[in-house]
Amino acid sequence: MNILGTEYQFKEDETIIEKGIDGECAGYAKEIRIRPKYTMLGASDNPADKAKRYNEVFRHEVIHAFFTDSGLDQYSDDEVLVTWIAIQFPKMLNIFQEHGCTE
């Protein structure tokens, strides 16, 4: 995927589960890794919730990449900010689309 002119590799990777994380963005390696959708949340959680979590993690890691490639590493290190944007972005996008201001 292209993030601000930089190519990032995207990989689903079960090995990051061992780290106790759902995803990670390696800024220097230009790689985003996320655990597979079926491994998100708990075994008893439904597929819709797993998909929602997967998408949230994907957005979260992409936001890290945007901050890193913008030279805003201090924001990339702020997990609260990155998580807030990842969760709120779909709501923001809906409003922007509703009012025709995405360009």
Side-chain angles (χ1 to χ4, degrees):
M1 77 183 72
N2 187 302
I3 297 177
L4 299 174
T6 300
E7 287 298 320
Y8 273 74
Q9 295 298 312
F10 171 75
K11 298 178 182 177
E12 282 192 358
D13 186 351
E14 288 188 18
T15 65
I16 65 172
I17 297 169
E18 298 166 6
K19 294 182 177 183
I21 59 176
D22 291 339
E24 68 181 354
C25 175
Y28 288 110
K30 305 303 180 199
E31 184 176 271
I32 292 173
R33 298 185 314 147
I34 299 176
R35 62 194 289 174
K37 192 180 302 181
Y38 73 90
T39 68
M40 291 287 174
L41 302 174
S44 63
D45 288 294
N46 68 55
D49 288 341
K50 289 176 181 285
K52 182 177 179 181
R53 175 64 182 157
Y54 181 90
N55 291 338
E56 181 181 295
V57 171
F58 181 88
R59 290 190 306 269
H60 180 102
E61 301 309 331
V62 167
I63 292 164
H64 276 299
F66 268 90
F67 279 139
T68 297
D69 278 273
S70 295
L72 298 171
D73 293 327
Q74 71 273 23
Y75 295 117
S76 185
D77 294 338
D78 187 338
E79 288 295 325
V80 172
L81 175 62
V82 172
T83 298
W84 184 89
I85 295 170
I87 291 169
Q88 301 306 327
F89 182 80
K91 299 168 196 169
M92 294 164 63
L93 180 59
N94 284 338
I95 290 172
F96 298 154
Q97 287 174 332
E98 181 180 316
H99 292 276
C101 61
T102 58
E103 294 188 32

